[in-house]
Amino acid sequence: MQQIQLTENIYYVGVNDRHTDLFENHMELPNGVSYNSYLIVDEKVALIDPVEANFLEEYLFKVKSVLKGRKVDYLIINHDEPDHSSTVAAVLREYHEVQVVGNAKTFAPLEAFYGPIENKVIVAEGETLSLGAHTLQFFMAPMVHWPESMVTYEQSSKIVFSNDAFGGFGALNGGIFDDQVNLAFYEDDMRRYYANIVGKVAMQALKAIEKLSALEIKMIAPSHGLIWRSNLAWVLGKYTQWSKQESEEGVVVVYGSMHGNTARMAEIVARGAAEAGIKEVKVYDVAKTEVSFIMSDIWKYKGVVIGACAHYGNMFPNMTLLVHEINEFKPKDKCYATFGGMSWSGGGVKTLAKYAEEGKWNLVAESVEVKGAPIREEDWDKLYNLGKAVAEAVKG
Ligand code: FEO
């Protein structure tokens, strides 16, 4: 049986999830996701971060087929979230004497999820654990993605097991390593993962990157997505760019529209932005495109135009989730404008403007609120000029 090896004694034993529709039950997974796990076989055997519970049978089969009767000595828990940890109890049942390795913040949540754990090893920043020829070293990465998150560095192979950091959506389609695939296929799914999971803690992600930069790294092995061995500079560059919120030239036009009138306005706004020279104009209907995709492009591009029709004096309901996510994740330094339809009450644009103020974005044009449909020349011009103003601010 052919095993997937990172080095002679370090194995990939992860699984692909092509079944789950929604990651964390709210983000779509059109390309699936992988839960990566790694096995280091030495005088002692270490299993690094297990997988999601629905894949237990496949996972244990993979582990056992590498170990051929040997036992797991250490189970390393870099992160408690159940997409990795929900097989912990089963692994403990399978390997009774395994010692579970985490840091001072690991075990309270882990035991709250899965009950008491007997054999604990608590490691601190920089501490090492010898497996024989391999030595694990632990570095804390708080809030990337939870308070207890840490990364594990194997000193002889110079591999960083980074858990959520440097991970991405997208199941692994045969290619496990970055040099076995077309990276362009994975980039969008990586940024979407970043923008919706890591982006909220961009500063902590940056600190983790700075901390890792002191190490000699030959491979980054995250718990989702590709293993990085040939394009380390590329992935570090992307993560640094996203963490520093260095956005690209482009405009996202996102709208919520009940009867198509605010949608017609969005088309005019987009046309204004395109004619002002923006080649990357992305138009989204918030009722059709799941919010994580829109957040990903908001993270990417400098310009954001949000349109909402009124709904009982407030804004179109589906827009509320997007605005909530924007306020929660706080993408920075956007050139921003709002527009929308009044319906019979107005209020959609007013509510959007309130959120814009809270978000401290750079409002570059006066909001446009249209009665009925955009059929009057003056409304058409205002919307077109709004798109143009955002485009010019982005280019400026
Ligand atoms: Fe992949 Fe935060 O768990």
Side-chain angles (χ1 to χ4, degrees), residues 325-366:
E325 291 294 89
I326 289 171
N327 276 275
E328 196 63 26
F329 280 73
K330 297 187 173 33
K332 289 191 174 53
D333 300 328
K334 303 296 172 187
C335 301
Y336 176 81
T338 62
F339 67 95
M342 286 188 73
S343 186
W344 46 263
S345 61
V349 173
K350 194 174 81 189
T351 315
L352 278 177
K354 180 170 77 72
Y355 280 109
E357 267 174 43
E358 287 172 11
K360 297 190 176 67
W361 285 359
N362 178 23
L363 194 63
V364 299
E366 200 173 320

Side-chain angles (χ1 to χ4, degrees), residues 115-354:
I117 292 170
E118 279 181 28
N119 301 318
K120 296 175 210 160
V121 178
I122 297 178
V123 294
E125 175 76 14
E127 207 167 298
T128 58
L129 175 67
S130 175
L131 305 176
H134 298 81
T135 301
L136 303 180
Q137 190 171 18
F138 305 96
F139 296 96
M140 304 304 121
M143 296 314 296
V144 189
H145 163 218
W146 280 7
E148 84 299 344
S149 291
M150 65 179 190
V151 302
T152 298
Y153 177 65
E154 199 292 298
Q155 292 179 339
S156 67
S157 60
K158 306 192 186 318
I159 298 174
V160 173
F161 299 95
S162 60
N163 199 269
D164 278 351
F166 305 104
F169 292 133
L172 298 171
N173 298 317
I176 304 287
F177 298 94
D178 58 343
D179 48 28
Q180 297 177 327
V181 303
N182 178 0
L183 282 187
F185 175 80
Y186 286 96
E187 182 178 344
D188 281 352
D189 255 348
M190 270 191 73
R191 193 186 58 256
R192 186 164 66 92
Y193 180 91
Y194 182 94
N196 291 279
I197 292 170
V198 183
K200 183 170 170 58
V201 292
M203 286 313 296
Q204 286 92 333
L206 213 48
K207 279 185 191 157
I209 292 169
E210 280 164 14
K211 189 185 282 189
L212 293 178
S213 67
L215 302 171
E216 187 186 349
I217 297 173
K218 288 199 173 154
M219 226 181 281
I220 297 175
S223 292
H224 302 289
L226 296 167
I227 299 170
W228 301 90
R229 65 180 180 188
S230 297
N231 297 279
L232 290 171
W234 185 90
V235 72
L236 282 164
K238 286 289 172 195
Y239 247 69
T240 304
Q241 178 194 343
W242 297 333
S243 298
K244 288 185 173 173
Q245 306 212 27
E246 295 168 351
S247 49
E248 299 175 20
E249 185 175 294
V251 175
V252 178
V253 181
V254 53
Y255 66 88
S257 182
M258 282 192 289
H259 301 291
N261 294 310
T262 301
R264 286 167 67 179
M265 296 173 210
E267 302 294 346
I268 301 167
V269 170
R271 186 73 192 130
E275 286 219 314
I278 298 291
K279 293 209 165 93
E280 295 285 332
V281 179
K282 306 284 182 181
V283 180
Y284 291 110
D285 178 345
V286 77
K288 292 282 188 304
T289 304
E290 189 265 303
V291 159
S292 71
F293 292 92
I294 304 170
M295 282 297 290
S296 180
D297 268 355
I298 288 177
W299 208 272
K300 181 176 184 181
Y301 294 115
K302 182 86 178 162
V304 182
V305 189
I306 302 187
C309 65
H311 182 261
Y312 289 107
N314 208 314
M315 65 181 155
F316 182 70
N318 297 40
M319 187 58 78
T320 309
L321 176 58
L322 177 65
V323 169
H324 167 82
E325 291 294 89
I326 289 171
N327 276 275
E328 196 63 26
F329 280 73
K330 297 187 173 33
K332 289 191 174 53
D333 300 328
K334 303 296 172 187
C335 301
Y336 176 81
T338 62
F339 67 95
M342 286 188 73
S343 186
W344 46 263
S345 61
V349 173
K350 194 174 81 189
T351 315
L352 278 177
K354 180 170 77 72

Side-chain angles (χ1 to χ4, degrees), residues 31-156:
N31 301 314
V33 66
S34 71
Y35 310 113
N36 301 345
S37 177
Y38 304 93
L39 197 50
I40 303 179
V41 181
D42 200 332
E43 290 167 26
K44 299 284 185 186
V45 170
L47 185 56
I48 299 180
D49 288 321
V51 303
E52 207 274 337
N54 287 322
F55 298 87
L56 176 65
E57 188 180 340
E58 179 185 352
Y59 178 57
L60 287 179
F61 172 81
K62 286 186 173 183
V63 171
K64 288 178 185 175
S65 68
V66 171
L67 291 181
K68 296 185 175 59
R70 284 191 68 183
K71 301 292 180 201
V72 175
D73 297 292
Y74 296 111
L75 175 62
I76 314 296
I77 304 292
N78 282 318
H79 179 27
D80 283 341
E81 195 167 10
D83 55 329
H84 310 286
S85 69
S86 51
T87 38
V88 161
V91 171
L92 296 183
R93 281 194 296 274
E94 192 71 34
Y95 299 107
H96 301 286
E97 291 171 5
V98 71
Q99 300 200 64
V100 182
V101 180
N103 59 66
K105 293 183 178 166
T106 303
F107 290 101
L110 201 63
E111 292 182 314
F113 280 128
Y114 310 113
I117 292 170
E118 279 181 28
N119 301 318
K120 296 175 210 160
V121 178
I122 297 178
V123 294
E125 175 76 14
E127 207 167 298
T128 58
L129 175 67
S130 175
L131 305 176
H134 298 81
T135 301
L136 303 180
Q137 190 171 18
F138 305 96
F139 296 96
M140 304 304 121
M143 296 314 296
V144 189
H145 163 218
W146 280 7
E148 84 299 344
S149 291
M150 65 179 190
V151 302
T152 298
Y153 177 65
E154 199 292 298
Q155 292 179 339
S156 67

